[in-house]
Amino acid sequence: MSENIIGYLDHNGTIIDIQSADETSNLTPITYDNSDKALEIIRHSTAHLMAQAITELYPNSQFFVGPVVDEGFYYDFRVDQKIGEEELKTIEKKMKELIKKKYLIEKYTLSKSEAIKKFAKDDLKQAVISRIPDEILSVYKQGEFEDLCRGPHVPSLRFLNNFKLTRIAGAYLGGDENAEMLTRIYGIAFADKESLVAYLTMIEEAKKRDHRKIGAEMELFMFNDEAGAGLPFWMPKGAKLRLKLEEILHKAHRSRGYQPVRGPEILKAAMWHTSGHYACYGENMYITEIDEQEYGIKPMNCIGHIQIFKQTQKSYRELPLRYYEYGVVHRHEKSGVLHGLLRVREFTQDDAHIFCTPEQIAPEVIRVVEFVDAVMKLFGFNYTMEIATKPQKAIGEEAVWEMATKGLKDALEQNNLSYTIDEGGGAFYGPKIDVKITDALGRKWQCGTIQVDFNLPQRFEVEYVAEDNTRKQPVMIHRAILGSFERFIAILTEHFAGEFPLFLAPLQVIIVPISEAHASYAHILKQKLMNADIDVEVYDKNDSLNKRIRNAEKQRVPYVAIIGDEEMANSGVAIRNRQTREQYNLTQEAFIEELTQELKKGKI
């Protein structure tokens, strides 16, 4: 056996760690590197190493779960004293001491009844056991530390040298807001030091780009806890940015044959029962009562679009029929997951629904993918696609799910488009393609989605008149490209570090007159720029010139135009171009022409 093998893959793509592998002849080795599968093993094992260190430092600690997540790993635990950020270095030091002891990670199994007895005095372990359906449970042991775990794990602590504990937080037991608050420590781990250093450098840069920080500095949006958590307020500059994004998308939709519609934000609960949302998504909905009848505030826009489609009889000649809406939706997100604009309780989807025949699925999906590609290129994003299949909580027959999933796969494969599979990650009413974008820091974000749905048209008895004059059920393609304006603007803000391209910038030009004598000329120029559809302000307050220029640059505005005697004499402007980091002089006309040409880049 190679010293660098830390696990195996079976024929189903499932990770089998060395401790669990009986036969290796038909298994694919996983070597010690930064591949996704290897990192899953390394990070899971590092979580156990962290728990072992915490146990030695705080002997009365009790542990709940310690999974691998997108940002590394974490462990939830109970400790009888307060642990702060300053203790993370102490825990890291203890982890490194434990690695030097070269403990092997050993696995053994026991029955559920034996596990209940073994951990009888640990209520957190009892909570974990109650969530496991299996009758035979596995325990992983290293030195004196052991914990219930399915694995996988590396064979020895010697593989765990490159890690960093990143932050500490509170977490409700099992995600239940009414349950006990546990301590949660997050960490990251890699196979080599270079990757760890690169990641930590990226994290530091990400802190500088945090959309919450930049949003406050640029006065884009705000939150008010007295008004309610997770409910964003858009300030004038943020509303301008958002409006520009909406207008770009409006033009792109209309040129691609979409028609605008709008549905109500609240519907009778009977509608949500019919759709399956009440049963499969009810815990995320806001329910109220009006005139002794139950209503649900919409978490999605699909039902409204179905009602609009059904309002008049449709012919096969009208298909595909494409509706789009910037639909405001509300979802009951738990307070612990709210995060700036990335996770809110009210947001606006760039939502669309395409009603088509089964034969039209593939070409329509490809049209949406081409639309996605155009949007991503406009903002400089790379992206990947992932097909998410039937989840455990779902509606509809298996044959329908298989047909819908095949439709998505065929569309991508026939056009030589690569994708990965997310088993069980689909919506409750149909499979989907998730679009995952990569930003300037190399981080991946899930934004757009394309979902094929045979179930909702069936449940709402949606029909069209076919060519043979019979009534048939259309297929419904749910589609969002940005995902939501809130989340996408958060990602854009961090991607551009607040330095938005001219066509998107909420404030595009700031004019700074050197003295009061130049203010009149500055305001004349401002009016000319406004007439050319440029968002512009004049900074002529009674501050020093340097302070006014500094304040202008803090706004991350694409252009700062300085006005002095020479500019007035030549009907010109002195330009500071933030995007090219250049300084130069232009006439008023040439400046307006440069801006106009730059604005044309904001088209899809």
Side-chain angles (χ1 to χ4, degrees):
M1 183 190 299
S2 167
E3 288 189 356
N4 285 326
I5 294 176
I6 58 173
Y8 298 94
L9 278 181
D10 68 10
H11 63 281
N12 292 317
T14 302
I15 298 175
I16 308 293
D17 59 21
I18 288 177
Q19 299 88 331
S20 306
D22 296 324
E23 298 287 337
T24 62
S25 57
N26 294 321
L27 301 177
T28 303
I30 299 173
T31 56
Y32 180 66
D33 55 32
N34 288 313
S35 65
D36 289 345
K37 300 296 185 184
L39 287 180
E40 184 175 342
I41 302 175
I42 292 167
R43 289 171 179 175
H44 199 166
S45 301
T46 309
H48 274 229
L49 172 62
M50 178 180 74
Q52 183 181 13
I54 291 169
T55 300
E56 295 207 4
L57 292 168
Y58 311 98
N60 295 321
S61 303
Q62 292 177 301
F63 294 85
F64 184 51
V65 292
V68 174
V69 291
D70 287 344
E71 54 187 300
F73 62 85
Y74 70 78
Y75 230 119
D76 289 345
F77 60 97
R78 180 192 292 143
V79 63
D80 57 8
Q81 67 183 81
K82 182 175 175 57
I83 297 180
E85 297 283 346
E86 59 276 9
E87 274 75 49
L88 295 185
K89 289 188 181 301
T90 303
I91 298 170
E92 285 179 352
K93 183 179 178 183
K94 176 59 69 174
M95 291 168 71
K96 291 173 182 175
E97 291 174 4
L98 290 168
I99 291 171
K100 291 178 182 177
K101 295 184 178 181
K102 300 180 180 179
Y103 288 125
L104 298 178
I105 299 179
E106 302 169 300
K107 177 186 176 182
Y108 67 90
T109 59
L110 68 175
S111 68
K112 181 175 280 190
S113 59
E114 289 173 330
I116 291 172
K117 288 179 184 177
K118 180 178 177 65
F119 298 104
K121 295 181 180 180
D122 190 333
D123 62 302
L124 292 186
K125 281 291 169 287
Q126 297 295 327
V128 173
I129 294 168
S130 70
R131 289 165 164 79
I132 301 174
D134 306 330
E135 287 303 317
I136 301 297
L137 310 183
S138 57
V139 176
Y140 284 81
K141 184 177 186 298
Q142 53 203 57
E144 296 300 313
F145 175 80
E146 59 182 7
D147 200 2
L148 282 167
C149 186
R150 287 194 177 118
H153 288 288
V154 297
S156 164
L157 296 190
R158 71 181 180 85
F159 290 99
L160 308 178
N161 288 299
N162 304 294
F163 61 84
K164 179 72 178 175
L165 303 186
T166 52
R167 63 189 176 96
I168 190 166
Y172 292 110
L173 174 62
D176 181 355
E177 292 181 342
N178 298 313
E180 172 190 359
M181 177 72 78
L182 301 176
T183 299
R184 174 178 291 181
I185 293 180
Y186 286 91
I188 191 72
F190 290 92
D192 59 81
K193 185 176 181 180
E194 293 77 13
S195 297
L196 177 64
V197 170
Y199 176 85
L200 295 176
T201 301
M202 182 273 287
I203 290 296
E204 287 305 308
E205 179 62 25
K207 289 178 182 177
K208 298 175 190 175
R209 292 172 178 247
D210 190 315
H211 73 280
R212 295 167 297 180
K213 173 177 176 289
I214 293 174
E217 292 172 353
M218 295 180 67
E219 298 180 339
L220 301 178
F221 58 88
M222 56 171 274
F223 290 89
N224 184 330
D225 287 340
E226 292 181 8
L231 303 172
F233 292 80
W234 292 92
M235 302 167 79
K237 289 174 185 172
K240 283 182 183 179
L241 186 156
R242 179 178 171 137
L243 182 61
K244 288 174 181 179
L245 187 56
E246 290 176 359
E247 288 176 344
I248 290 169
L249 268 292
H250 267 307
K251 291 176 182 176
H253 277 99
R254 297 308 303 276
S255 69
R256 287 166 172 78
Y258 288 80
Q259 300 180 51
V261 295
R262 192 180 190 286
E265 292 181 29
I266 185 168
L267 296 168
K268 285 184 178 180
M271 287 275 186
W272 303 111
H273 280 288
T274 300
S275 69
H277 285 85
Y278 206 105
C280 297
Y281 203 77
E283 69 272 14
N284 296 103
M285 292 179 62
Y286 294 103
I287 305 296
T288 188
E289 193 173 283
I290 303 172
D291 297 334
E292 299 182 352
Q293 283 196 314
E294 198 174 36
Y295 282 73
I297 299 174
K298 70 175 179 180
M300 301 175 190
N301 303 294
C302 35
I303 294 180
H305 294 193
I306 286 173
Q307 302 311 310
I308 292 169
F309 183 92
K310 290 180 63 177
Q311 180 63 19
T312 58
Q313 182 174 286
K314 300 296 189 299
S315 162
Y316 73 95
R317 296 179 186 276
E318 298 173 76
L319 304 184
L321 188 57
R322 309 178 187 99
Y323 291 150
Y324 80 101
E325 174 183 5
Y326 297 158
V328 178
V329 298
H330 294 79
R331 297 182 185 176
H332 185 200
E333 301 283 5
K334 293 178 179 178
S335 58
V337 302
L338 298 175
H339 182 80
L341 293 179
L342 289 169
R343 200 71 176 265
V344 289
R345 288 175 172 157
E346 180 198 84
F347 57 93
T348 305
Q349 293 178 307
D350 67 316
D351 211 357
H353 293 92
I354 302 166
F355 297 87
C356 64
T357 68
E359 296 76 23
Q360 293 169 333
I361 291 174
E364 284 303 305
V365 168
I366 293 305
R367 286 190 183 95
V368 174
V369 171
E370 289 171 348
F371 197 169
V372 168
D373 187 66
V375 172
M376 296 308 144
K377 283 179 178 174
L378 177 65
F379 298 113
F381 288 124
N382 294 318
Y383 67 93
T384 57
M385 290 181 289
E386 184 176 78
I387 292 181
T389 60
K390 184 181 179 181
Q392 283 190 334
K393 208 171 185 179
I395 60 173
E397 299 174 3
E398 190 65 35
V400 171
W401 274 86
E402 289 177 4
M403 181 166 52
T405 304
K406 184 176 185 299
L408 290 177
K409 290 180 178 179
D410 288 348
L412 298 184
E413 289 170 4
Q414 289 168 12
N415 288 272
N416 298 316
L417 296 169
S418 61
Y419 63 89
T420 56
I421 296 289
D422 174 18
E423 294 290 352
F428 71 85
Y429 47 77
K432 59 179 180 171
I433 298 172
D434 282 333
V435 178
K436 299 192 173 183
I437 64 177
T438 304
D439 69 8
L441 295 181
R443 299 173 298 179
K444 292 187 181 295
W445 305 92
Q446 201 275 303
C447 289
T449 185
I450 308 165
Q451 304 168 3
V452 175
D453 182 6
F454 288 82
N455 287 305
L456 289 186
Q458 183 182 51
R459 285 178 167 240
F460 284 97
E461 298 178 344
V462 184
E463 296 178 334
Y464 68 94
V465 178
E467 189 172 5
D468 60 4
N469 225 29
T470 60
R471 294 184 180 275
K472 292 186 178 178
Q473 177 189 306
V475 180
M476 188 177 184
I477 300 176
H478 306 247
R479 185 243 69 188
I481 292 177
L482 305 186
S484 79
F485 283 94
E486 285 74 9
R487 180 177 174 81
F488 196 73
I489 286 173
I491 295 168
L492 278 178
T493 300
E494 298 190 4
H495 178 61
F496 289 118
E499 298 191 19
F500 299 105
L502 184 75
F503 62 82
L504 199 59
L507 182 57
Q508 296 160 319
V509 178
I510 291 177
I511 303 173
V512 182
I514 291 176
S515 71
E516 189 176 342
H518 309 113
S520 176
Y521 178 93
H523 283 280
I524 291 171
L525 177 58
K526 174 186 175 181
Q527 189 58 53
K528 288 183 178 180
L529 292 172
M530 290 176 65
N531 292 343
D533 206 24
I534 305 294
D535 281 302
V536 54
E537 289 182 6
V538 175
Y539 276 23
D540 58 354
K541 292 182 180 178
N542 191 24
D543 291 322
S544 70
L545 175 63
N546 286 338
K547 183 176 181 181
R548 282 182 285 134
I549 292 175
R550 281 198 307 273
N551 288 340
E553 302 218 332
K554 282 181 183 177
Q555 287 297 310
R556 298 172 170 84
V557 66
Y559 288 87
V560 175
I562 312 296
I563 304 297
D565 290 338
E566 183 178 343
E567 287 71 35
M568 285 182 62
N570 298 317
S571 295
V573 285
I575 306 300
R576 293 191 179 192
N577 187 322
R578 189 178 182 90
Q579 295 169 319
T580 64
R581 299 298 193 264
E582 294 177 317
Q583 296 185 31
Y584 48 89
N585 290 74
L586 291 174
T587 64
Q588 288 185 22
E589 291 74 17
F591 183 39
I592 293 172
E593 177 62 20
E594 179 173 311
L595 295 173
T596 301
Q597 292 302 316
E598 192 70 23
L599 285 176
K600 290 180 180 179
K601 295 179 181 178
K603 291 182 179 179
I604 299 172

